[in-house]
Amino acid sequence: MFEKVETGIFASKAPLSGTVKAGNIVRSAHIAKNPETGELVTGDIETQTRQVLSNLRQAMEAAGGTLADVVQIQAYLIDRTDAPGMNRVYSEFFSAPYPVRATVVTELLSPGIRLEILATAVLS
């Protein structure tokens, strides 16, 4: 069984939980939304990546951890040319040893979203 983590991030209107915890495992999914209003933060990939990872940091802290507990990131981009910009910001939030990461280029559900991530963390 798992529990929903109350992160303080504006809840999605879709039937989903943004962050859940099962024992010491945390799973968290994020797009570039303003955590207070739920509105999409528009802009280039660096702006959106910064918001996505800020939201992940807030969710991890609410779950009792930090970004250092993240062991895996699945990143979904809409444009492969966004990868270098995402990596520049990513390195502001994560340092070696980096989480395992897979990056996929795909179409995302909502217009304006350039990046969505799914993170897995193990709390110590």
Side-chain angles (χ1 to χ4, degrees):
M1 192 63 186
F2 64 88
E3 63 181 278
K4 178 182 177 186
V5 176
E6 295 300 334
T7 62
I9 297 171
F10 195 89
S12 173
K13 294 177 182 125
L16 58 85
S17 296
T19 303
V20 297
K21 186 175 178 182
N24 66 336
I25 306 294
V26 177
R27 303 273 293 179
S28 194
H30 297 279
I31 59 172
K33 72 177 177 180
N34 180 309
E36 295 174 7
T37 66
E39 295 295 318
L40 180 65
V41 173
T42 58
D44 63 14
I45 191 60
E46 291 187 20
T47 300
Q48 287 204 9
T49 302
R50 195 164 280 108
Q51 187 62 61
V52 166
L53 296 178
S54 293
N55 291 352
L56 174 60
R57 179 174 42 216
Q58 181 175 333
M60 287 304 305
E61 289 171 357
T66 70
L67 289 178
D69 296 312
V70 175
V71 297
Q72 180 181 15
I73 296 280
Q74 292 169 260
Y76 302 92
L77 292 170
I78 64 162
D79 188 334
R80 73 180 60 250
T81 63
D82 282 344
M86 179 189 70
N87 283 332
R88 276 191 294 278
V89 176
Y90 189 87
S91 65
E92 296 171 12
F93 287 81
F94 293 102
S95 57
Y98 296 100
V100 171
R101 189 179 85 194
T103 304
V104 176
V105 177
T106 188
E107 187 175 340
L108 295 173
L109 286 177
S110 298
I113 296 174
R114 303 198 64 77
L115 169 68
E116 183 169 1
I117 65 158
L118 174 62
T120 302
V122 179
L123 304 180
S124 48

